[in-house]
Amino acid sequence: MKTIVTKLLAPLGFGENQMNGLVDFFAGFLLVTLPWFFVSDANIRMLAVIMVAGSGLVLYSIFTDYRHGLLRYIGRKIHETLDLTLGITLMALFPLKYTTLLLSFTGLILIVGLYFI
């Protein structure tokens, strides 16, 4: 899915490396910040899993060898494997319905998970 979106945006002047880096950092930022607004204190486990996933995304994006990577130790294939793992993890969280978790937030997690697969 990520490759399809990148190829669709390529004619608009967004190169593959440029688009992937921006989307990775933006998605990581969303995964770290949005649970604070949608997950109550009773769902601290869900909050922790989503925030760790977002923090991991930002961390391995910093280490990836592309335009927006800062340290560039991780190759593209490893990065794509980590994206697939993140996508599967977020997809696995979708059916877990906690009592105070809003449906709109679980839908957002599902969309982010699908994007990274």
Side-chain angles (χ1 to χ4, degrees):
M1 182 82 147
K2 191 174 187 180
T3 314
I4 294 169
V5 171
T6 303
K7 287 183 180 180
L8 288 173
L9 293 175
L12 298 175
F14 293 105
E16 182 178 345
N17 289 340
Q18 179 183 6
M19 188 65 194
N20 284 342
L22 293 175
V23 170
D24 285 342
F25 284 112
F26 182 70
F29 175 75
L30 285 178
L31 288 173
V32 170
T33 57
L34 286 182
W36 290 102
F37 299 108
F38 291 107
V39 180
S40 71
D41 293 336
N43 295 323
I44 196 72
R45 287 176 287 171
M46 184 69 144
L47 177 77
V49 169
I50 294 171
M51 289 185 62
V52 166
S55 300
L57 173 60
V58 170
L59 188 66
Y60 73 76
S61 294
I62 288 172
F63 285 100
T64 299
D65 186 19
Y66 57 24
R67 183 176 179 180
H68 296 287
L70 298 177
L71 300 177
R72 301 181 181 180
Y73 290 120
I74 298 174
R76 296 284 301 164
K77 293 293 182 185
I78 294 173
H79 179 91
E80 290 172 2
T81 303
L82 291 171
D83 278 347
L84 179 65
T85 306
L86 176 70
I88 291 171
T89 302
L90 293 175
M91 293 284 294
L93 290 176
F94 181 70
L96 300 176
K97 301 217 185 228
Y98 291 92
T99 56
T100 59
L101 190 62
L102 296 176
L103 181 60
S104 61
F105 183 66
T106 56
L108 176 67
I109 295 300
L110 177 66
I111 291 169
V112 172
L114 281 173
Y115 175 76
F116 281 105
I117 287 183

